[in-house]
Amino acid sequence: MKKKLLVVDDNPEIRQVMRRALEQAGHDVIEAADGHTAADWVEWEHPALVVMDIHMPRLDGITALGEILGVDPTMPV
């Protein structure tokens, strides 16, 4: 069964590499360029896992983690 995963990174090249690798492993992939968008995607799509960069502009990964867990406290990040 395919799992939906969320990749969060401000670098589009890194998101693309991660997307390719995860899709080749059989997963559906959603991308976000910042922590705010990641929290929105968690609320809308309920991915099975979030893979996130820590150093991002606007909202760093640690702060975004708090927002994501506020939406879904059981979300693996």
Side-chain angles (χ1 to χ4, degrees):
M1 175 164 85
K2 282 188 171 187
K3 295 206 181 219
K4 189 179 302 182
L5 308 180
L6 173 58
V7 173
V8 187
D9 198 299
D10 58 309
N11 185 320
E13 290 86 14
I14 291 176
R15 288 195 317 269
Q16 184 178 23
V17 168
M18 293 291 294
R19 171 184 281 278
R20 278 195 219 137
L22 293 169
E23 286 177 341
Q24 286 178 349
H27 302 289
D28 289 327
V29 178
I30 307 165
E31 295 180 31
D34 62 69
H36 289 296
T37 305
D40 289 340
W41 276 121
V42 167
E43 185 174 358
W44 300 328
E45 294 290 330
H46 308 287
L49 173 71
V50 177
V51 179
M52 185 165 49
D53 185 13
I54 292 176
H55 303 288
M56 295 183 289
R58 289 190 47 193
L59 187 68
D60 66 84
I62 300 299
T63 306
L65 174 63
E67 283 196 15
I68 289 168
L69 295 178
V71 171
D72 181 351
T74 65
M75 178 61 56
V77 180

